[in-house]
Amino acid sequence: EDQVTQSPEALRLQEGESSSLNCSYTVSGLRGLFWYRQDPGKGPEFLFTLYSAGEEKEKERLKATLTKKESFLHITAPKPEDSATYLCAVRNSGSRLTFGEGTQLTVNP
Amino acid sequence: EPEVTQTPSHQVTQMGQEVILRCVPISNHLYFYWYRQILGQKVEFLVSFYNNEISEKSEIFDDQFSVERPDGSNFTLKIRSTKLEDSAMYFCASNKQGHNEQFFGPGTRLTVL
């Protein structure tokens, strides 16, 4: 059974204070690791897909990296508008995404 | 930019009643999904749908649930006889052929009383 574990559960940062979120996974036949952002009461918003160890993707202040067992979402010089829950998900040979519990990020001004 | 849309945004129903949740996937997408998220819990897969049939379903998706694509644009989730534990946010998602990224709608909050 595919499993995704995210840490920490919650993270408070000051504006400009860089940090990383972790996603550990076990999956049979990885067909993609996905990062989403979720604001309260809204649907997940797609950020990145990573397929193989060593791959990196960047978008504004966010950079996602992948190893064979985990992925990191690095946030550089965050702003208050980056406050959200960040979700990690994996896809195996089927079609379903298996999500982690998420990391709730709060960036204080 | 095209988006997945869902209606209603909030549905309140009595236990035992039938509900239909509606989704309009992105127009050139061919794969459709339903997920749910119970308050404070993780997003969980329910079912995937391609070429007018279910391609995968989870253990949550029992005989009380069904999906349908009644026309060229809508994709629906029906819950036949709702239970209290069906209360959750229900998300529809879709993706293009050859692409793995699933794009999610804003969700329908279902409250079963």
Side-chain angles (χ1 to χ4, degrees):
Chain A
E1 186 180 324
D2 301 341
Q3 286 200 323
V4 177
T5 304
Q6 292 188 245
S7 62
E9 288 183 17
L11 182 62
R12 282 188 175 274
L13 299 174
Q14 289 298 122
E15 186 171 1
E17 180 187 1
S18 302
S19 188
S20 297
L21 314 183
N22 176 263
C23 170
S24 299
Y25 65 92
T26 54
V27 62
S28 52
L30 181 71
R31 281 184 61 193
L33 182 140
F34 304 85
W35 282 98
Y36 286 86
R37 170 191 170 128
Q38 186 176 31
D39 292 300
K42 304 283 180 65
E45 175 190 343
F46 171 74
L47 293 173
F48 303 111
T49 312
L50 300 164
Y51 289 102
S52 54
E55 190 175 358
E56 296 183 354
K57 294 269 178 79
E58 272 188 81
K59 179 180 176 179
E60 296 181 355
R61 294 177 292 282
L62 301 177
K63 182 167 86 170
T65 62
L66 182 66
T67 72
K68 286 187 177 176
K69 293 183 181 179
E70 55 192 353
S71 176
F72 292 92
L73 184 67
H74 307 278
I75 303 177
T76 302
K79 298 183 177 181
E81 54 261 42
D82 295 322
S83 297
T85 297
Y86 290 86
L87 305 176
C88 174
V90 296
R91 181 174 172 175
N92 61 15
S93 55
S95 55
R96 73 175 70 190
L97 294 181
T98 299
F99 282 85
E101 302 272 0
T103 293
Q104 186 176 1
L105 175 67
T106 304
V107 182
N108 295 314
Chain B
E1 190 172 326
E3 293 180 335
V4 176
T5 59
Q6 292 185 241
T7 54
S9 56
H10 191 187
Q11 173 94 46
V12 181
T13 190
Q14 295 291 326
M15 191 169 56
Q17 295 296 302
E18 174 184 289
V19 294
I20 297 176
L21 309 183
R22 300 178 195 279
C23 168
V24 178
I26 296 172
S27 63
N28 61 346
H29 287 193
L30 298 178
Y31 297 82
F32 315 120
Y33 309 86
W34 285 101
Y35 291 81
R36 79 172 186 191
Q37 187 175 31
I38 295 170
L39 187 64
Q41 297 187 22
K42 64 172 91 173
V43 177
E44 300 175 289
F45 170 79
L46 294 177
V47 66
S48 58
F49 191 86
Y50 170 69
N51 202 24
N52 279 321
E53 58 184 35
I54 290 173
S55 46
E56 189 176 353
K57 61 183 181 179
S58 72
E59 53 284 351
I60 302 168
F61 194 88
D62 61 22
D63 292 344
Q64 293 299 311
F65 291 88
S66 62
V67 288
E68 192 180 27
R69 187 152 165 83
D71 54 44
S73 58
N74 289 283
F75 178 52
T76 62
L77 175 70
K78 183 194 290 187
I79 309 175
R80 254 178 277 284
S81 176
T82 50
K83 306 183 186 72
L84 295 176
E85 54 265 36
D86 292 328
S87 295
M89 282 287 279
Y90 287 80
F91 296 109
C92 175
S94 66
N95 67 276
K96 271 195 247 193
Q97 183 133 23
H99 292 256
N100 289 321
E101 299 80 16
Q102 295 179 20
F103 291 88
F104 284 73
T108 292
R109 179 171 298 285
L110 177 65
T111 303
V112 182
L113 303 176

